[in-house]
Amino acid sequence: MPLQHFDMAQPAYEQIAIYRAGIVPVLYRRVQCRRFGGIHFTMNGNPWAFLVLLTNVGGAGNVYAVSVKGPNTNWLYMRRNWGQNWQINDKQLAGATLSFRVTTEDGRVVTSWDVVPHYWRFGQTFEGLNF
């Protein structure tokens, strides 16, 4: 299993430490993200595979789970595609009003009811509640 890491450009790194090639141990801790406005849900994909990008997530900022609900469905779990893109393959969601439930790594949950109207199109972004 690889070590947890992050990459920095050399000029940025040199602002906080003396540059040396190789692996440099770093101590860090998560802090709460203060965001203004709500979580942004950007609708991508196609009618058979919905891909929703979440941005502007406050609180812990690290999304653990996302569920979506249409007017005629129960809560449906989405799977992480990559980064903060969450996917579900369910064509009954096309042209439906959608609600989202977002869970962050610290266990907090926020539900944005009917945040995406029935007339939505791929490429549009809608704003829900935030932590």
Side-chain angles (χ1 to χ4, degrees):
M1 185 162 149
L3 298 172
Q4 288 186 355
H5 72 281
F6 62 89
D7 294 321
M8 293 181 74
Q10 185 175 338
Y13 183 83
E14 289 176 342
Q15 295 297 312
I16 61 172
I18 297 171
Y19 177 76
R20 283 193 344 220
I23 297 173
V24 178
V26 176
L27 295 176
Y28 66 93
R29 66 183 172 93
R30 289 192 181 273
V31 296
Q32 293 289 313
C33 296
R34 185 166 181 220
R35 299 287 187 211
F36 297 97
I39 296 173
H40 297 170
F41 300 92
T42 301
M43 310 300 291
N44 294 305
N46 60 58
W48 300 276
F50 294 94
L51 193 65
V52 180
L53 171 63
L54 274 65
T55 54
N56 201 48
V57 179
N62 191 10
V63 177
Y64 176 76
V66 178
S67 298
V68 61
K69 183 180 182 340
N72 300 313
T73 71
N74 292 319
W75 285 103
L76 305 171
Y77 291 101
M78 301 182 78
R79 69 175 178 81
R80 186 187 304 268
N81 182 291
W82 57 273
Q84 288 305 322
N85 286 280
W86 296 79
Q87 181 175 340
I88 188 165
N89 301 334
D90 195 322
K91 64 182 180 181
Q92 68 180 321
L93 299 175
T97 299
L98 302 176
S99 301
F100 288 94
R101 181 168 286 159
V102 177
T103 305
T104 51
E105 189 176 64
D106 61 0
R108 294 176 61 196
V109 178
V110 66
T111 302
S112 295
W113 292 99
D114 301 331
V115 66
V116 177
H118 68 89
Y119 52 84
W120 66 269
R121 298 288 179 259
F122 291 108
Q124 289 183 301
T125 300
F126 302 92
E127 187 173 325
L129 300 177
N130 215 334
F131 294 93

